[in-house]
């Protein structure tokens, strides 16, 4: 059934492309969300380009302006409504199609607000109707009417959408959609539907094709990648082992695993691989067992720390990154100290820190013991200070070592210098020839500068 739906949209692509012939139309896209959202945008762009729209880097001359939204935290809303204020002025002067899609459009109170206060928006589509962009654009152009194409379902998996990737060496591949975990603070399960996995052969074929096209680095994406279920007992560990065998791919990353599902077979698959990054993202959220329980995370502080130890036992060179929320309802000073304690113990290489943000419809939003803004901010600053103190300490261990890096491009500030990233995602800057861009090379790290490392490629094989 899904295949037919895609076929139908391909026909709309042709229809819109015929309407647009000779018009030299341009699109501009603004992506506000996570890597999954960015991967969706690559598909939206794939469809737009097939419909005859060319990319415009300058929003002011776009004929179609598309916003792919996120709603995981409140600041995304402010950003969207600010942008719409600007677009209203453009729309008053010329006929531009404004389309808004993505997670935030799955929220009823938001689409109501758009309808009432931003009636000039032409197309609203949700996460389950992304593939119908061609039909929505066709309707907006030919019937000259507003389109709202949002449905609330558990979700399906669509294969075969066109895609235009934003980078030609590193690619993201979504392996599963949706989330079943319902962490009490999180809106994602409500806007992305239930977990559903792509078939192993579809994923592996996509990656083999990417390898043929010269891609070196692959990131496997999902809200909870280690609950991937390819059917007939084929799990995330099987997928990792199969991706690992694909020739040409040199670096494999994945985000995000859930600590509760980080099983030994996954750890073994990483340990056995020479390609899977030694930077593992293991979202902590809180270091307090009490808070974790109310968050519905299904692990304790001790279980998290023992998972880290289990991974380190099998992969001694591993380092970790994490996500932490401060100021969750009811978080006491003591709870927060537990978070700081885990940060000290694990010595994270990278921490993505968030101030708790109330999300309409979630369990935590209905809790009465919300933390005052001022306390949330103070705790955030304390966590940040601890993290920054650790960065330089962490960087020191690289100085004098040889690191394999993927060379990404020239440095913005100095043409003679190249930039790349280590397997553990550290930015390295070094002198080198442009020809090296796109290759993986060995670099000797000579010094550290908090936000980057300096390297020397001369002594390395
Ligand atoms: N599925 C991924 C994360 C998705 S959202 C996972 O479970 O790791 C990315 C991060 O945003 C989360 O890890 C969490 O730290 C943060 N986040 C989610 N909801 C939030 C909220 N309501 N307020 C603040 N941060 C939030
Ligand atoms: Fe949100 Fe939790 Fe699902 Fe991650 S695992 S998307 S934090 S509900
Ligand atoms: Fe945001 Fe949706 Fe991703 S809410 S974090 S764009 S899944």
């Amino acid at each position: 059934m899904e295949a037919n739906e895609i076929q139908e949209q391909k026909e709309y692509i042709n229809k819109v492309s015929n309407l647009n012939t000779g018009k030299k139309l341009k699109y501009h896209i603004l992506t506000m969300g996570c890597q999954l959202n960015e991967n969706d945008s690559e598909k939206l762009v794939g469809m737009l380009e097939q419909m005859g729209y060319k990319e415009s880097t300058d929003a002011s001359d776009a004929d179609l302006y598309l916003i792919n939204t996120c709603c995981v935290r409140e600041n995304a809303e402010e950003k969207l409504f600010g942008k719409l204020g600007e677009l209203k002025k453009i729309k008053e002067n010329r006929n531009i199609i404004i389309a808004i899609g993505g997670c935030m459009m799955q929220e009823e109170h938001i689409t109501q607000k758009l309808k009432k206060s931003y009636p000039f928006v032409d197309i609203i589509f949700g996460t389950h109707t992304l593939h119908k962009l061609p039909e929505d654009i066709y309707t907006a152009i030919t019937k000259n009417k507003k389109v709202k194409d949002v449905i609330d379902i558990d979700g399906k998996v669509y294969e075969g959408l066109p895609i235009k990737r934003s980078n030609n060496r590193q690619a993201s591949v979504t392996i599963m959609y949706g989330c079943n975990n319902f962490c009490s603070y999180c809106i994602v399960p409500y806007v992305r539907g239930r977990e559903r996995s792509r078939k192993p052969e579809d994923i592996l074929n996509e990656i083999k094709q990417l390898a043929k096209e010269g891609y070196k680095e692959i990131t496997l994406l999902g809200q909870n990648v280690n609950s991937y279920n390819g059917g007939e007992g084929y799990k995330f560990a099987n997928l990792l082992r199969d991706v690992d065998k694909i020739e040409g791919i040199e670096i494999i990353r994945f985000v995000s695993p859930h600590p509760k599902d980080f099983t030994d077979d996954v750890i073994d698959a990483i340990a056995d691989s020479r390609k899977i990054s030694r930077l593992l993202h293991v979202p902590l959220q809180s270091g307090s067992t009490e808070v974790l329980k109310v968050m519905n995370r299904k692990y304790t502080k001790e279980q998290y720390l023992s998972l880290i130890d289990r991974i380190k036992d099998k992969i001694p060179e591993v380092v970790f990154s994490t996500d932490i929320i401060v100021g969750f309802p009811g978080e006491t000073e003591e709870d927060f100290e537990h978070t700081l304690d885990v940060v000290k113990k694990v010595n994270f290489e990278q921490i993505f820190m968030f101030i708790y943000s109330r999300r309409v419809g979630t369990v935590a939003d209905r809790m009465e013991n919300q933390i005052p803004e001022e306390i949330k901010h103070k705790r955030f600053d304390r966590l940040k200070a601890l993290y920054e103190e650790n960065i330089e300490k962490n960087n020191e261990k690289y100085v004098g070592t040889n690191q394999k890096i993927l060379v990404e491009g020239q440095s913005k500030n100095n043409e003679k210098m190249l930039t790349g990233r280590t397997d553990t995602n550290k930015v390295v800057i070094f002198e080198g020839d442009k020809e090296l861009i796109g290759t993986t090379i060995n670099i000797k790290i000579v010094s550290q500068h908090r936000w980057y490392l300096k390297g020397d490629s001369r002594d390395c094989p």
Side-chain angles (χ1 to χ4, degrees):
M1 190 169 84
E2 281 87 341
N4 283 345
E5 287 178 51
I6 294 300
Q7 195 45 43
E8 205 180 316
Q9 293 307 315
K10 290 197 169 154
E11 285 159 23
Y12 278 108
I13 288 182
N14 289 337
K15 286 187 194 171
V16 177
S17 162
N18 287 338
L19 290 173
N20 286 348
T21 311
K23 291 193 182 152
K24 297 205 169 122
L25 298 179
K26 290 186 179 168
Y27 72 88
H28 188 80
I29 186 163
L30 172 66
T31 304
M32 296 168 69
C34 62
Q35 293 182 66
L36 283 154
N37 200 237
E38 284 170 11
N39 194 221
D40 284 348
S41 282
E42 293 180 325
K43 293 172 193 160
L44 293 165
V45 166
M47 293 188 271
L48 286 172
E49 298 215 343
Q50 287 197 357
M51 286 185 272
Y53 294 94
K54 293 255 179 319
E55 188 182 5
S56 145
T57 41
D58 177 14
S60 65
D61 70 351
D63 302 283
L64 188 148
Y65 197 106
L66 197 154
I67 307 178
N68 193 9
T69 60
C70 168
C71 54
V72 79
R73 286 170 292 273
E74 190 178 3
N75 52 8
E77 276 158 41
E78 291 156 16
K79 203 169 155 194
L80 173 69
F81 292 117
K83 193 79 219 163
L84 284 175
E86 287 170 37
L87 288 174
K88 183 170 188 242
K89 291 198 194 98
I90 299 182
K91 183 115 184 168
E92 277 162 5
N93 292 320
R94 63 194 173 83
N95 191 16
I96 170 174
I97 296 181
I98 299 174
I100 313 183
C103 294
M104 208 194 291
M105 297 305 108
Q106 294 292 141
E107 295 185 292
E108 183 71 26
H109 69 281
I110 296 285
T111 52
Q112 293 284 354
K113 180 168 172 177
L114 283 174
K115 199 171 160 198
K116 194 161 156 262
S117 309
Y118 301 85
F120 57 89
V121 172
D122 298 282
I123 299 170
I124 292 174
F125 62 96
T127 55
H128 302 295
T129 43
L130 168 139
H131 62 288
K132 286 176 66 195
L133 181 71
E135 180 176 347
D136 295 341
I137 292 182
Y138 183 78
T139 310
I141 299 177
T142 57
K143 309 216 164 85
N144 197 19
K145 68 170 196 188
K146 308 287 172 208
V147 181
K148 182 180 168 208
D149 196 359
V150 181
I151 49 171
D152 184 15
I153 53 169
D154 285 352
K156 295 180 188 173
V157 174
Y158 294 99
E159 295 293 343
L161 283 176
I163 182 159
K164 178 158 185 249
R165 296 185 183 271
S166 53
N167 183 307
N168 53 14
R169 280 176 280 277
Q170 297 151 299
S172 297
V173 175
T174 300
I175 63 165
M176 59 169 316
Y177 300 89
C179 181
N180 291 352
N181 289 319
F182 289 92
C183 301
S184 62
Y185 50 82
C186 185
I187 193 72
V188 171
Y190 302 89
V191 297
R192 286 267 172 185
R194 296 294 67 72
E195 281 176 8
R196 53 227 188 258
S197 298
R198 290 176 67 196
K199 290 197 192 107
E201 59 266 32
D202 289 330
I203 298 169
L204 295 169
N205 286 339
E206 180 176 344
I207 300 174
K208 281 178 197 154
Q209 181 58 33
L210 287 165
K212 266 193 213 144
E213 291 168 21
Y215 283 86
K216 297 272 185 296
E217 181 178 323
I218 294 292
T219 304
L220 306 174
L221 297 180
Q223 288 302 352
N224 186 2
V225 283
N226 46 1
S227 68
Y228 173 81
N229 181 358
E232 294 166 16
Y234 188 100
K235 300 283 194 222
F236 187 54
N238 303 91
L239 183 68
L240 281 180
R241 287 186 187 276
D242 282 345
V243 175
D244 194 69
K245 288 184 203 133
I246 299 177
E247 231 169 277
I249 300 299
E250 293 176 21
I251 301 171
I252 302 165
R253 303 181 191 275
F254 56 86
V255 276
S256 284
H258 194 299
K260 76 174 166 52
D261 300 314
F262 220 120
T263 44
D264 284 335
D265 57 343
V266 172
I267 302 175
D268 290 337
I270 303 167
D272 290 343
S273 165
R274 293 171 56 91
K275 298 180 181 177
I276 300 176
S277 170
R278 267 36 190 162
L279 171 71
L280 294 182
H281 186 67
V282 188
L284 170 68
Q285 311 304 357
S286 167
S288 152
T289 295
E290 290 306 309
V291 172
L292 286 168
K293 193 165 176 213
V294 189
M295 283 179 163
N296 194 27
R297 291 290 290 179
K298 302 197 168 76
Y299 52 86
T300 61
K301 174 185 183 184
E302 290 68 31
Q303 282 167 335
Y304 183 90
L305 288 171
S306 88
L307 168 64
I308 296 291
D309 286 342
R310 263 195 295 137
I311 301 175
K312 277 188 181 160
D313 271 352
K314 287 190 172 157
I315 314 166
E317 69 281 18
V318 74
V319 295
F320 297 97
S321 63
T322 201
D323 289 353
I324 293 176
I325 298 176
V326 298
F328 180 81
E331 183 188 70
T332 61
E333 175 61 25
E334 196 190 335
D335 291 322
F336 179 63
E337 299 274 348
H338 280 295
T339 300
L340 297 180
D341 185 46
V342 176
V343 168
K344 284 184 199 145
K345 290 199 164 106
V346 181
N347 202 10
F348 294 106
E349 197 79 14
Q350 228 177 339
I351 306 180
F352 300 91
M353 296 168 277
F354 306 106
I355 291 177
Y356 168 71
S357 172
R358 295 177 77 162
R359 303 288 69 208
V360 175
T362 60
V363 173
D365 182 45
R366 295 192 286 275
M367 292 175 184
E368 276 166 16
N369 45 1
Q370 301 288 330
I371 303 291
E373 286 302 315
E374 196 191 324
I375 296 184
K376 286 195 216 171
H377 281 92
K378 279 204 178 129
R379 287 185 187 157
F380 183 87
D381 291 343
R382 282 166 65 195
L383 174 63
K384 190 161 167 260
L386 175 63
Y387 170 49
E388 290 186 352
E389 206 181 285
N390 273 345
I391 293 178
E392 295 198 21
K393 247 195 287 172
N394 267 332
N395 283 354
E396 283 299 339
K397 69 172 179 283
Y398 289 91
V399 178
T401 63
N402 281 351
Q403 297 286 327
K404 180 177 88 171
I405 67 159
L406 174 60
V407 187
E408 291 176 345
Q410 283 173 309
S411 159
K412 279 191 194 113
N413 306 324
N414 181 348
E415 271 193 10
K416 278 197 196 135
M417 306 297 275
L418 297 176
T419 70
R421 275 181 305 138
T422 64
D423 176 43
T424 53
N425 222 10
K426 287 272 170 201
V427 175
V428 181
I429 299 189
F430 62 100
E431 211 170 302
D433 194 279
K434 278 209 305 265
E435 306 261 295
L436 291 172
I437 295 172
T439 62
T440 41
I441 59 168
N442 277 315
I443 286 276
K444 182 163 186 158
I445 304 301
V446 289
S447 56
Q448 69 88 11
H449 306 260
R450 190 183 275 199
W451 302 116
Y452 67 95
L453 306 171
K454 209 155 188 189
D456 189 336
S457 59
R458 282 169 302 186
D459 313 334
C460 290

